Structures are given as structure tokens and as C-alpha cells.
Amino acid sequence: LKKSLFLITGYFILVLYSPQITGAKLINKMQKTASGLEYAQINSTTTPEKAIIFLHGLGADYQDFAFLPDFLSQNTNKSWAVVLPNGTSMPITVNNGYKMRAWYDIYSMDITNKDDKDGVAQSVADIISIIESLEEQGVDSTDIFLGGFSQGGVISLSTMNH
């Protein structure tokens, strides 16, 4: 994984959202990584020049950022692939085991407590798999942008450090 990937943090969503957006595209076909992580890829053309992978936060799903394809097509002159993965539905310990979409488990609100290193590692591996797929489609690694909100931001940062 080349270090030339760009990182976009959760603040990104506040900067990009604008009243000119016409609404979210409906995504009818989900794809899966080899490990089974679902993701939607929306291309503005058959050969995208750039790509953005944006990861949702705890309890959300890809639809929270489904406006990105419309925004990019209206506000840039490049062809984009927008990749919106869905975190795995899993019980979250800190939420009394309630199942929700997440990138890793949260054991407690105590920051000195142990982390779900295995969950983070699996999520990072899944995102790297998506990045490799984009490169196979002809998108240069310097034109792949990675971002996320909340837990998605953690996985974005962790992927960049891999």
C-alpha cells in the first residue's frame, strides 16, 4: 500500500454537504470483498480517474454518504468511483451487546481498556482489498481518497498506517 493515499477525516462531511445536492442515488447492487464485507461502488463513468472510499460511523451504513456520487458529479470535472462500504453487523459490548453495523467492537468507554485489535485488523484488511480492486480497475493509488466518520475515521487512519 503506497503512502500516497490521501486521508479525509470526519470533518469532511461538514465541508462537502451543500444545498445544491439533488439527493442520494439509489444503489441496487452491493459487492463483497473476499472476506464478505459489503460495499457499494458507484462510478460516474466506466473508467473512473479518481476514487473516494468513505466509511460510516458506529450504527450507520453506506446510505449516510450516498449523496457523494451526486456531489462529485455536480462539482468536479473528473470521473469518480465512490466506494461506500458497510461495516459488519456485530454485537457492541459497550451497548449491552446490541447488534449494529460497526468496524470493530467497543469494550467500554474507559480509554485505558483494551482495544478490539482483531476487529480493526480485519476492517483494515477489507479496505486494503477494496483499494487493490480500485487499482486493478486502473485508478492510480495517488488518486484514491480514504475517509470516514467516527469509527470509519479510525479505520481510515489505521489503514493509512498499515
Side-chain angles (χ1 to χ4, degrees), residues 60-78:
D61 66 15
Y62 76 94
Q63 293 180 5
D64 283 5
F65 301 102
F67 68 85
L68 281 174
D70 284 344
F71 177 85
L72 292 171
S73 67
Q74 292 173 17
N75 295 288
T76 69
N77 60 358
K78 300 289 182 188

Side-chain angles (χ1 to χ4, degrees), residues 72-157:
L72 292 171
S73 67
Q74 292 173 17
N75 295 288
T76 69
N77 60 358
K78 300 289 182 188
S79 60
W80 285 85
V82 177
V83 180
L84 303 170
N86 261 341
T88 304
S89 183
M90 65 176 73
I92 301 298
T93 303
V94 75
N95 290 342
N96 295 319
Y98 183 78
K99 274 185 108 172
M100 59 183 56
R101 290 203 181 273
W103 299 105
Y104 54 88
D105 194 4
I106 301 172
Y107 300 123
S108 81
M109 296 305 283
D110 179 2
I111 62 171
T112 61
N113 202 352
K114 70 177 190 166
D115 298 326
D116 180 12
K117 290 180 175 51
D118 292 339
V120 170
Q122 180 60 56
S123 292
V124 167
D126 286 329
I127 301 308
I128 289 172
S129 173
I130 292 171
I131 291 168
E132 291 169 348
S133 172
L134 289 165
E135 290 175 326
E136 289 170 8
Q137 295 170 49
V139 181
D140 190 271
S141 65
T142 60
D143 291 323
I144 298 173
F145 300 83
L146 180 60
F149 181 78
S150 187
Q151 273 198 339
V154 170
I155 298 304
S156 295
L157 285 168

